[in-house]
Each structure stands twice: as C-alpha cells, then as structure tokens.
C-alpha cells in the first residue's frame, strides 16, 4: 500500500507541471462548452478533439483528455438539467429529477450537487482503482453471460421506482421500450427484426434519440399545445443559488451510496454507465425521507445518478488498465489514444508503462479538481438560461434536440424517429403515461436478451445455468426478494 | 469536423511540398463505418499516404456507418455517380453484410480499384483450457460440435465465417457451430479470458497483448505462413486460409482511363514510406491487387462468403 501511494505520488510528479495544468485547464473549458451541445457526449467530444493533442506528449495529452472528458460530462449534465435534453445515455437518469429541480427554481443547487457529487465519486473511485485494480479484475472476470443476465434482471427492479401512480400505465411504457429494443439486427443470429427494409433501422434505435424525443420534444409540443392552460410557471431562482445546509445533508449520503453502486458496475466488462445511474435513482427513491418530492425535483435523485455515472466511468479503468479491455465508449476512445502513442494496453501495461498508468490516474484526479474549480463559478451563468421567455426557450430546446439527434449519425432517419417519438411523448404526457420506463426498457431489453441467449447458447439450451452458477443464482434471489418482500409486507400489515 | 480535417490535410500537403502536375486536386473519401474501426483507420492512413506520395492535395472524409457498411455503400452508389475523385473503403465484412441482409446495393455497382491490406485471424483458448493444441480443440469439436462455443465478433462477420470454414474442413455441418457473437473486441476478450467460452476467434492484433500477457493461448493463425511463430491452420491439417481484406472502390460509371488514373495514384500511395509505416504499426499484410484481377477476386470471395453464410444457416430470407 505504501508502495502504491509512492507510485501515485510519482504519477503526480509527472502530471503536475505548469504546462500540463494549462492543458488540463484548456481541456476542461473546451469540454464543458462542447458538452453543453446536446447529442455530443463525452466520448464523441474526446474523439473530435483528439487530433488537437497529436503534438503533445502522452502525459500532457492524457491530462487534456481527462479535462475534456470531465468537462464534457458536466456540460452534458448542465443541458440535461436546464433543458431536459440528455446528450448521452448515462445522463438520462439525471434528467428525471434534475429538470424538475430547474423548473422549481432550484437549478443552482442541482448543478452544484452534480459537480460536487462527480468530484466526490470520482475521487473515491480513483483511489479504489489505485488500490484494488488487480483484485477487482479477477472478480470481474467471473462474470459471464449467465451472471450478466441475472444483473439485468436485477436492474429491471429499478423500473418500480419510475413507474408512477398507475402500474398498468407504467408497464405499458416499459413494454413499449422493450418492443423498440428488438428493432434492428439481432446480434446473436444476424437476422433483422422490425426494420421494414429501412437500412438505417438495422443498427437499432439509439436510446439518446428516444430519450430526447420523449423528454424534450414531447414536452415542448405539450407546452406549445397547452401553454395557455398550464399553471406551471418556470421559476428562475427560488432561494439560494447554492446548496443549503439541508441540500448538503441530503446529497452526501447519496453520493457515497452511488459510488458504491457505480464503481463495481463500471469495473465488470459489460457493465456500462446507464444501469448504475438508474439503480442509484431507485435506491435513493426507496431510502429517501422525502418520497413526496420524487417526481417534483428531489435533490437525492440528481446527486445519486450523477455520482454513480462518474464512479462507474472511473471503474471502467479497471478492465482497461489491467486487461486492455475497453468497456465504455470513453474507455474505447482512451484506448485509441493509447494506440496513437504506440502503446497497447493489456495485462502487462502496469509493468511495462508505469509512468503512463500512474500519470493517467493522477491526470484524472487533476481533471476532477479542475472541473470543480472551473464550473462552480459558472453555475450562476448557466442558470440565467432559464430566464429566457418560455416560447423562446422551448423553441431553442427543439433546435438543440434536433441538432443533437442529427449529430449522432448524420442521419435523416434519426430526425424522423426523433419527431415520431416527440409526438409519442406528447401523447404519453397527455394521457399521463410515464416516459422513463420506456427508456429503461430500451436500454435493458436488448442487453438482457443478448446475455440470456449467449448463456443458453454456451450451455446448449440448458436453462438451469442461471441457477447453477452461484453468482447468478444469488443475484436472481436478491431480485426476487426485492420484488416480493414489499408485497409480503403489505399483505402482512393488512391481515 | 469534416471541414476541419480537410483543412488539416491540406496544410500537411502544403508543408510537404507543392503538388505535381498529375496529382488529383481533392479526393472525396467515403468511409462506410463510424470513426475508430478498421475501415476508418484504412481510409485515414491511406489519405496520409496519398498526400505524402503527392497523389492528392487534400482528402475530404465522410463517415457513414451502419449495417455492415451497406448504408455508406448505398449513399456512395447514389451520390458519387461518375465522380472520378470519389473513393470508398470496403472489404470482406461488406461482402458478408450485402449477402446476409439482401442489400439492394452491392459491389458490382461500384468500380473496384485496389485491394490494399489483409488482416489474418487467430484462434485462441483461455490459458487454463484443457485444449493444448488445435488438434485437441478439433477433436472435442468433432465429437460434440455444440459443446465447443466459439466467441468472436458480429454474426456473419469474418470471425464467424472462419469458424464455419473450420467446421466445413472437418466435415462438421455449419449450422452445428455454436458461435457466440460479441459486440466489439472488449466483451469477447473478457468472455475468453474469463473462460466463459471454449475458444476465441478474431484478428491477430485484437488478442496479441492477451497472448503476450499469458491470459490466452494461441492455437492457430489463418495465414499461409507462420506469423510471430504461431502455427498455421494448414500446418495442422486444416485446409483453411482467410484474410479479412480491405480495399478501395471508385464511383459507379467512371471511364476506364479515369479508373486507371486512380489505380496509379493508389499504387504510388502504397509504395510510400508513410503507408509502409502504417502496415507495420497495425500489423496488416500488404496483399495489393488492382483492377480486373481485384474485380475477379471480389466475385470469387462473394461466392465463397455466400456459400459459408448459407451453410451457417443465418441468412435473412425475404
């Protein structure tokens, strides 16, 4: 442990030069501003700006990446909270409460809890990577298709948190998402499903297009149609711009719980960042002392998902650095950045390139600090966006949503899909059907299906694999308990 | 972003000296994949080689990914007609995707210019696997095909086709191959290293670090001769050779003279130091083949790939 600490300090000695700090600063600035554009998530931002860094030495470049990355992620959360246009799948969960907070005039605390929560989660996760990477990876490798399927089943329990007042309506929305999830080439057989001969649909429906369509376009249409009858007023600022003592008290446990959820999910090779954000949302909703605030802007519902996102992204460094396996879009971009410098991450990276590994960990840490220093003062500026008169603001949201959807694949089909989902979102709002379960269905459905079929292919059709693998069986048992216990509890109380 | 690249490459071209008389003004290059993959690397490195060999002043890229490259192909067929400055990257994966999806556009609608590179495949097992040699694996496979799960890339892609060819060479029916497709390299590596599948199939570069690090054992490569000391399939009595080839196509409806001009540009580019450096860095084999022989090769490869996809029983019927 003392040795590890020494190595990390060595990393800092490489990373902390005035010039490198300047690169970090520039990266964070650029990242924040580009991240604010909807549809441009952190991975795309880093990929776009990568050519800028060709002339830098690897450490300088990595520090700039870390800055761009954290900046872009935070910029993405900013538009998610202010405009309800999540630029990437990992910030969809943030939109649920974050945008409600903004509408209640609490955009300031929402943005602040994002920045500070990301910082806290990122810091803890970086320390965990530093100390535990070689250990964690051996556990992570035990996860095969059967275990992943069990995890997906577990993740489906999060739907309960967003299902709303009517179970029938919530499940309708979920199944709509599941249906949309089967559109495109079936990854296990190569056969196309529900594509109706449209080649653009062969790769499936992008969850960002669905989320932006249902959330942002649907809402803009709804406001346009019912503006005169809506009582709801956008309040610019209510109370302090900063987090109150109460906000702090409610945020910090959420940050810590979210880190505990996000880090392990990030470090398993097929984890991703969406599932832990929704899990964290579900956990916060279950544990909160203010359940009535959920759905109307509860700060725990912003603090948790944002921290979980950052922890899982940092956790993704575990398989990247110990095995050379990129498990997230961002890790894949980092991997290609390594390759630009002729370095191939693999099991030997820690031994062969200690300067780079520890330099990278130190850079991520510096990126985190930079973000906090740079962005907290900007909160006041971002909040002013909400003072734009409503008609103009919603017109702007439509423009942003359209640009964002188009920038994903430069495809007109995506634009048509966006507006079809926009109309759908409008209808769902009109008839009070929650939109979040549809998004969860689209994210989890294909993952669960793929893993289940992989597990069954490997076991040659023997469905008991899910119960004979100990890890899978335990996760399934846990999910079962989560679903059944509240029901039992209710029944017992009634009798 | 596209404009930005053009600007950069134009600047590079200026820096490397003025263009010669027969140089192309600007090449428009269609990359039918998202940034980052093999086709993207081929296109961007080829652009650098064209510029450094003074065969182009600038190269303008368009990335149009999706559906195994057939979306980019469709756009190229429609929009680039008769344009003698247009090029498109493509390869074996596209041949498979066209057949698998009954694509309305195919490679006979564009002008084959040159095959540039080949990437050979490697078959691995987890390092704690009981299968020490290819013969061990084949023995288990022949005894009970379903018990051997092969992990690799997308269904119907190069890795799947190699598994099909190995089955065929051993007299096992293609539809008995228990192939488990994974998205991207990372997921497949984790499943192989974690011992969740019996064997893994992929491009050599994808697994190289894992083999060096002792987490995977290489059993065979799909090349005609040994690579890095790994034995070939042929040496081990399996008569299969497969390279994931990548090449360049010109627009539909260009004249023979225009075609030959573009081939000359490509030939010069592939002889540049910049291109040779690329091949070395990425571990690609130079299997250059141009013009009519390349066209003939594509026809043959289309037949071979179609035959294997049929035997694997994965083709979409309409």
């Amino acid at each position: 442990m003392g040795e590890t600490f020494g190595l990390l300090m060595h990393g800092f000695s490489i990373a902390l030069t005035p010039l490198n700090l300047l690169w970090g600063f520039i990266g964070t600035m650029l990242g924040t501003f580009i991240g604010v554009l909807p549809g441009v998530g952190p991975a795309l931002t880093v990929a776009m700006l990568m050519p800028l860094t060709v002339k830098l030495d690897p450490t300088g470049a990595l520090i700039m990446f870390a800055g761009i990355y954290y900046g872009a992620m935070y910029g993405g959360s900013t538009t998610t909270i202010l405009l309800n246009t999540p630029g990437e799948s990992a910030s969809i969960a943030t939109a649920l409460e974050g945008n409600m907070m903004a509408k209640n005039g609490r955009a300031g605390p929402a943005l602040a809890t994002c920045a500070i929560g990301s910082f806290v989660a990122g810091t803890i996760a970086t320390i965990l990577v530093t100390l535990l990477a070689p250990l964690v990876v051996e556990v992570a490798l035990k996860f095969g298709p059967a275990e992943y399927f069990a995890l997906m089943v577990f993740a489906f329990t999060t739907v309960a948190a967003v299902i709303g007042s009517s179970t029938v309506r919530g499940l309708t929305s979920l199944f709509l998402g599941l249906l949309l999830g089967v559109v495109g080439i079936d990854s296990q057989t190569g056969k196309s499903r529900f594509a109706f001969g449209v080649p653009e649909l062969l790769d499936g429906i992008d969850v960002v297009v669905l989320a932006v369509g249902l959330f942002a376009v649907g809402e803009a249409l709804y406001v346009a149609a019912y503006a005169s009858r809506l009582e709801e007023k956008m309040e610019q600022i209510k109370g302090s711009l900063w987090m109150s003592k109460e906000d702090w008290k409610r945020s910090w446990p959420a940050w810590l719980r979210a880190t505990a959820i996000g880090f392990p999910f990030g470090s398993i090779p097929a984890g991703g960042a969406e599932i832990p954000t929704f899990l964290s949302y579900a956990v916060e909703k279950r544990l909160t002392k203010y359940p009535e605030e959920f759905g109307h802007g509860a700060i725990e519902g912003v603090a948790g998902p944002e921290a979980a996102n950052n922890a899982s992204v940092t956790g993704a460094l575990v398989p990247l650095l110990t095995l050379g396996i990129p498990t997230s879009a961002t890790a894949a971009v980092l991997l290609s950045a390594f390759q630009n410098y002729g370095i191939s991450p693999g099991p030997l990276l820690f031994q062969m390139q200690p300067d780079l590994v520890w330099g990278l960990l130190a850079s991520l840490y510096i990126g985190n600090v930079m973000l906090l220093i740079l962005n907290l003062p900007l909160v006041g500026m971002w909040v002013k966006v909400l003072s734009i008169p409503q008609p103009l603001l919603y017109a702007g949201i439509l423009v942003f949503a359209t640009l964002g959807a188009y920038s994903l694949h430069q495809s007109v089909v995506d634009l048509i899909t966006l507006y079809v989902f926009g109309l759908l979102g409008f209808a769902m709002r009109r008839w009070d059907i929650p939109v979040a379960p549809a998004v969860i269905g689209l994210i989890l459905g294909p993952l669960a299906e793929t893993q289940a079929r992989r597990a069954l292919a490997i076991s040659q059709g023997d469905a008991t694999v899910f119960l004979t693998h100990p890890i899978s069986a335990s996760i399934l048992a846990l999910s079962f308990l989560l679903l059944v216990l509240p029901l039992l509890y209710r029944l017992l109380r009634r009798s | 972003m596209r404009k930005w690249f053009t600007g950069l490459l134009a600047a590079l071209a200026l820096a490397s000296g003025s263009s010669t008389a027969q140089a192309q003004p600007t090449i428009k290059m269609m990359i039918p994949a998202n940034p980052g993959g093999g086709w993207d690397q081929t296109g961007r490195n080829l652009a650098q080689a064209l510029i450094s060999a003074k065969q182009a002043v600038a190269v303008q890229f368009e990335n149009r990914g999706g559906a195994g490259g057939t979306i980019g192909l469709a756009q190229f067929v429609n929009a680039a007609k008769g344009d003698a400055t247009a090029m498109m990257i493509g390869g074996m994966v596209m041949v498979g995707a066209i057949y698998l999806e009954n694509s309305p556009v195919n490679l006979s609608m564009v002008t084959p210019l040159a095959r540039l590179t080949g990437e050979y495949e490697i078959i691995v097992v987890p390092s704690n696997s009981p299968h020490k040699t290819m013969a061990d694996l084949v023995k288990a496979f022949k005894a009970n095909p379903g018990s051997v799960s092969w992990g690799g890339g997308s269904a119907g892609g190069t890795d799947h086709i190699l598994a099909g060819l190995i089955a065929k060479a051993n007299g096992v029916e293609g539809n008995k191959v228990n192939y488990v497709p994974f998205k991207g390299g990372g997921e497949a590596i984790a499943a192989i290293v974690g011992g969740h599948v019996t064997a893994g199939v992929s491009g050599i570069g994808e697994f190289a670090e894992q083999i060096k690090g002792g987490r995977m054992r290489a059993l065979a490569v799909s090349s005609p001769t040994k690579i890095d000391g790994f034995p070939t399939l042929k040496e081990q009595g399996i008569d299969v050779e497969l390279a994931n080839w990548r090449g360049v196509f010109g627009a539909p409806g260009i004249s023979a003279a225009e075609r030959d001009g573009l081939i000359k540009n490509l030939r010069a580019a592939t002889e540049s130091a910049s291109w040779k450096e690329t091949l070395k860095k990425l571990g690609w084999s130079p299997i250059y083949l141009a013009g009519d022989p390349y066209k003939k090769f594509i026809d043959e490869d289309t037949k071979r790939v179609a035959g294997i996809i049929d035997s694997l029983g994965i083709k979409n019927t309409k």
Side-chain angles (χ1 to χ4, degrees), chain A residues 87-108:
Chain A
E88 51 147 7
S89 47
S91 44
I92 293 173
T94 308
L96 299 176
E97 298 299 318
N99 188 245
M100 297 315 288
M101 281 186 76
K103 280 188 184 146
N104 295 335
R106 311 226 318 123

Side-chain angles (χ1 to χ4, degrees), chain A residues 44 47-48 51-52 137-138 140-145 147-148 185-192 197 199-203 269-270 322-326 336 339-340 342 344-348 408-412 447 450-451 454 456-460 469, chain B residues 1-2 4-5 8 34-36 41 63-68 70-71 74 100-101 144-149 154-156 160 178-183 185-187 189-191 193-197 209-210 212-215 281 313-318:
Chain A
L44 188 63
M48 263 165 65
L52 287 180
V137 77
E138 294 307 324
L141 282 174
K142 297 228 169 5
F143 277 72
E147 287 75 16
Y148 284 124
I185 291 179
D186 164 29
S187 65
Q188 298 308 290
T189 58
K191 290 192 198 302
S192 57
E200 279 82 358
L201 288 181
L202 286 178
D203 289 325
T322 52
L323 294 173
I325 300 178
S336 64
Q339 281 160 349
N340 264 2
S344 349
L348 301 177
L408 287 173
H409 314 103
Q410 285 86 45
S411 155
V412 181
L447 289 172
T450 306
Q451 300 293 3
R454 276 183 195 154
L456 289 172
I458 293 169
S459 75
Q460 301 188 64
H469 287 208
Chain B
M1 184 164 132
R2 211 180 301 147
W4 197 86
F5 273 114
L8 173 78
N34 296 324
Q41 284 175 320
N63 283 92
R64 274 299 259 131
T70 52
I71 292 177
L100 201 60
E101 296 302 327
N144 181 359
S147 71
V148 172
S149 48
S154 62
H160 196 177
N178 188 357
Y179 185 79
V180 186
F182 287 88
K183 240 185 305 170
E187 260 193 285
I189 293 175
V193 170
H196 302 289
V197 289
E209 289 301 312
Q210 309 298 329
K212 263 188 244 163
R215 289 207 176 247
K281 205 170 76 185
I314 54 172
K315 183 169 160 51
N316 277 304
T317 44
K318 265 200 181 150

Side-chain angles (χ1 to χ4, degrees), chain A residues 64-87:
Chain A
M64 194 160 156
F65 284 147
I68 292 172
Y69 179 72
Y70 282 115
M73 205 149 68
Y74 182 74
S77 310
T78 307
T79 39
T80 301
I81 289 171
L82 296 177
L83 306 179
N84 213 5
T85 51

